[in-house]
């Protein structure tokens, strides 16, 4: 088995697995099972999509369908964030092949940057088997003309409940596994956000990073895909090794997503928020103390200390990615703002949510600090503006959950509540 691990201590862990002789052998057996199940259960058709997502127990949102083999996937999981229902995946523990998962159809190729993940809840004693592995979220490719296929994903090792990111090649009924990253801890008894970001390829540019609650926990710069097309991404109990299948398994997940990765990140950095209306931008209510992060690398341009109801407005310019040069604002119920001139890195907090106020608004800004909606179409209180819709689409592509308004409404007149500011009034510190 080849390894391509950059996480400290991971090579030693793989060496221990080799000496122990159990985990890696069982993982190979498991992967042959999972790939066979995934290809048989999901139709080969794929749909182009910048973002596909499923949340709130909506099983119909899985474009590739639901796979249930000696198990069940239902909309009966516990509440998570603003979602009253989530996805509950269960396996009966018969010792036979098992699967309880939802699948997206995707169309990913070499050279493409992608991100896929979900919020996950592993209850105490979520499995009874003492050894073996379970695939938690994985992608797979269609077989080539020789029958060879590939699969990457996060697996849980039941001996210590650690996570691993693995890449696998399946050919002629046998599988070769490469540990890309891990082990990394997976929280038990609490919800956590898990995401994998990859630049797909067989050359030196390829990378694979694993994020837990927005924090990088493992990564690799080893090649991760040499095939022609990735067609499916699965979530839940995607598959089990024979030893992991010797007892029942139960877990919950929500807000599954798969998307093109542009170098930008979810500015809310998690799922502790409620999405409000779309108007000049998009409104959100967060938990007090939660950070609001920079979407990408940028620089803070200005601050209005009293934009609306004695609450501030901060705007910054994006310096990288497809939206380089555009401006983003964050306003209202925020504090501890980054200073003007601060060089922001992707994901860096630029403000924090206050205990009281009128919630948070974020959207496209003009260079002088006016909202882009004000300087383009004007704004009537409650109006869904073209700028707001544009920003809602942008947030959705990053995995931010709606509901969003995607249809602009006509403008009647500019509303005085949030005035068009002039550059000379901006704060300087």
């Amino acid at each position: 088995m080849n390894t391509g691990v950059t996480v400290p201590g991971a090579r030693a862990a793989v060496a221990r697995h080799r000496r122990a002789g159990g985990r890696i052998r069982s993982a190979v057996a498991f992967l042959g099972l999972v790939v066979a199940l995934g290809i048989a259960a999901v139709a080969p058709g794929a749909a182009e999509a910048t973002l596909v997502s499923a949340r709130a127990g909506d099983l119909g949102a899985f474009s590739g369908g639901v796979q249930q083999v000696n198990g069940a996937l239902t909309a009966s999981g516990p509440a998570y964030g603003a979602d009253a229902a989530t996805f509950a995946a269960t396996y009966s523990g018969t010792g036979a092949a098992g699967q309880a998962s939802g699948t997206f159809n995707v169309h990913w190729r070499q050279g493409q940057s992608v991100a896929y993940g979900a919020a996950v809840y592993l209850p105490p004693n979520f499995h009874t088997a003492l050894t073996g592995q379970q695939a938690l979220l994985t992608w797979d490719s269609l077989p080539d003309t020789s029958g060879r296929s590939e699969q990457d994903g996060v697996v849980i090792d039941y001996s210590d409940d650690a996570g691993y990111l693995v890449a696998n090649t399946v050919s002629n009924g046998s599988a070769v596994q490469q540990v890309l990253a891990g082990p990394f801890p997976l929280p038990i008894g609490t919800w956590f956000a898990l995401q994998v970001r990859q630049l797909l390829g067989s050359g030196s540019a390829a990378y694979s990073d694993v994020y837990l609650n927005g924090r990088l926990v493992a990564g690799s710069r080893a090649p991760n895909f040499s095939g022609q097309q990735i067609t499916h991404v699965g979530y839940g109990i995607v598959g089990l090794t024979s030893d992991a299948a010797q007892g029942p398994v139960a877990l919950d997940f929500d807000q599954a997503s798969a998307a093109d990765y542009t170098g930008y990140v979810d500015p809310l950095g998690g799922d502790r928020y409620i999405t409000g209306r779309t108007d000049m931008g998009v409104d959100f209510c967060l938990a007090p103390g939660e950070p609001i992060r920079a979407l990408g690398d940028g620089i803070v341009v200005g601050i209005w200390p009293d934009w609306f109801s004695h609450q501030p407005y901060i705007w910054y310019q994006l310096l990288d990615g497809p939206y380089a040069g555009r401006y983003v604002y964050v306003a209202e119920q925020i504090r501890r703002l980054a200073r003007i001139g601060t060089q922001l890195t992707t994901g860096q907090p630029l403000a924090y949510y206050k205990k009281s106020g009128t919630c948070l608004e974020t959207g496209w800004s003009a260079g002088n600090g006016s909202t882009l909606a004000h300087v383009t179409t004007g704004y009537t209180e409650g109006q869904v503006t073209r700028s707001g819709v544009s920003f809602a689409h942008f947030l959705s592509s990053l995995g931010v959950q709606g509901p969003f308004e995607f249809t602009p409404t006509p403008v009647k007149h500019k509303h005085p509540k949030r005035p068009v500011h002039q550059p000379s009034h901006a704060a300087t510190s």
Side-chain angles (χ1 to χ4, degrees):
M1 181 185 71
N2 296 322
T3 59
V5 183
T6 60
V7 180
R11 292 187 184 276
V14 172
R16 290 198 301 272
H17 301 335
R18 286 172 167 166
R19 291 195 295 270
R23 297 187 194 176
I24 298 304
R25 285 200 298 270
S26 66
V28 171
F30 148 80
L31 288 160
L33 165 69
V34 173
V35 171
L37 282 174
I39 293 173
V42 181
E48 289 283 2
T50 300
L51 170 78
V52 286
S53 64
R55 64 175 294 172
D58 181 8
L59 295 170
F62 288 109
S63 57
V66 171
Q67 290 71 51
Q68 301 175 105
V69 180
N70 297 312
L73 184 67
T74 63
S76 59
Y80 174 63
D83 294 342
T86 55
F87 304 105
T90 58
Y91 166 68
S92 60
T94 62
Q99 200 171 18
S101 60
T103 302
F104 292 133
N105 293 335
V106 296
H107 192 164
W108 292 346
R109 298 181 180 276
Q110 289 193 52
Q112 192 168 353
S113 295
V114 300
Y116 53 99
V120 180
Y121 179 78
L122 303 175
N125 304 314
F126 73 97
H127 63 87
T128 57
L130 299 178
T131 60
Q133 290 187 351
Q134 171 208 326
L136 181 61
L137 58 96
T138 62
W139 57 250
D140 60 71
S141 68
L142 285 176
D144 60 21
T145 55
S146 67
R148 174 182 173 276
S149 62
E150 297 179 55
Q151 180 191 57
D152 276 24
V154 174
V155 301
I156 307 173
D157 193 304
Y158 280 178
S159 64
D160 57 8
D161 292 337
Y164 293 81
L165 182 65
V166 297
N168 312 278
T169 303
V170 182
S171 181
N172 298 321
S174 62
V176 176
Q177 182 185 83
Q178 179 184 12
V179 176
L180 293 176
F184 47 88
L186 297 174
I188 305 295
T190 185
W191 283 94
F192 60 90
L194 182 66
Q195 185 186 58
V196 179
R197 300 175 190 169
Q198 293 182 298
L199 174 59
L200 302 169
S202 57
S204 59
Y207 70 82
S208 304
D209 290 334
V210 181
Y211 288 81
L212 186 68
N213 293 328
R215 183 174 64 88
L216 179 66
V217 294
S220 168
R221 296 301 178 264
N224 52 36
F225 180 53
S226 60
Q228 295 298 312
Q229 180 180 317
I230 294 166
T231 53
H232 312 116
V233 188
Y235 307 79
I237 304 173
V238 184
L240 297 162
T241 60
S242 59
D243 45 353
Q246 299 307 308
V249 182
L251 60 88
D252 306 295
F253 69 96
D254 194 32
Q255 302 189 3
S257 64
D260 297 330
Y261 180 63
T262 62
Y264 301 125
V265 299
D266 175 354
L268 307 180
D271 301 288
R272 301 178 62 192
Y273 59 85
I274 297 173
T275 305
R277 72 185 187 186
T278 302
D279 44 34
M280 290 185 289
V282 181
D283 297 343
F284 296 96
C285 297
L286 284 67
E290 286 289 298
I292 298 90
R293 296 175 168 85
L295 289 159
D297 290 350
I299 184 169
V300 177
V301 177
I303 297 171
W304 302 112
D306 182 9
W307 183 63
F308 171 65
S309 192
H310 307 292
Q311 299 173 115
Y313 173 114
I314 182 172
W315 73 100
Y316 62 98
Q317 185 177 33
L318 294 171
L319 301 178
D320 67 347
Y323 292 97
R326 296 197 68 168
Y327 298 87
V328 177
Y329 74 88
V330 179
E332 299 187 33
Q333 194 173 328
I334 53 175
R335 60 188 292 268
R336 294 172 58 190
L337 278 58
R339 292 180 177 273
I340 292 174
T342 298
Q343 295 280 342
L344 301 168
T345 58
T346 303
Q348 177 182 338
L350 62 93
Y352 292 83
Y353 196 71
K354 290 178 63 177
K355 290 183 179 180
S356 61
T358 56
C359 289
L360 161 77
E361 181 175 312
T362 182
W364 296 121
S365 174
N368 69 351
S370 298
T371 67
L372 189 62
H374 262 130
V375 301
T376 54
T377 62
Y379 176 65
T380 299
E381 178 62 19
Q383 175 200 354
V384 181
T385 67
R386 290 201 300 267
S387 295
V389 168
S390 171
F391 199 73
H393 277 294
F394 183 33
L395 292 177
S396 178
S397 75
L398 302 178
V400 179
Q401 302 294 331
F404 298 110
E405 294 287 344
F406 291 129
T407 303
T409 55
V411 62
K412 295 180 180 179
H413 62 275
K414 293 182 180 179
H415 197 276
K417 172 175 139 176
R418 296 183 174 99
V420 180
H421 291 289
Q422 299 302 318
S424 60
H425 296 158
T428 58
S429 63

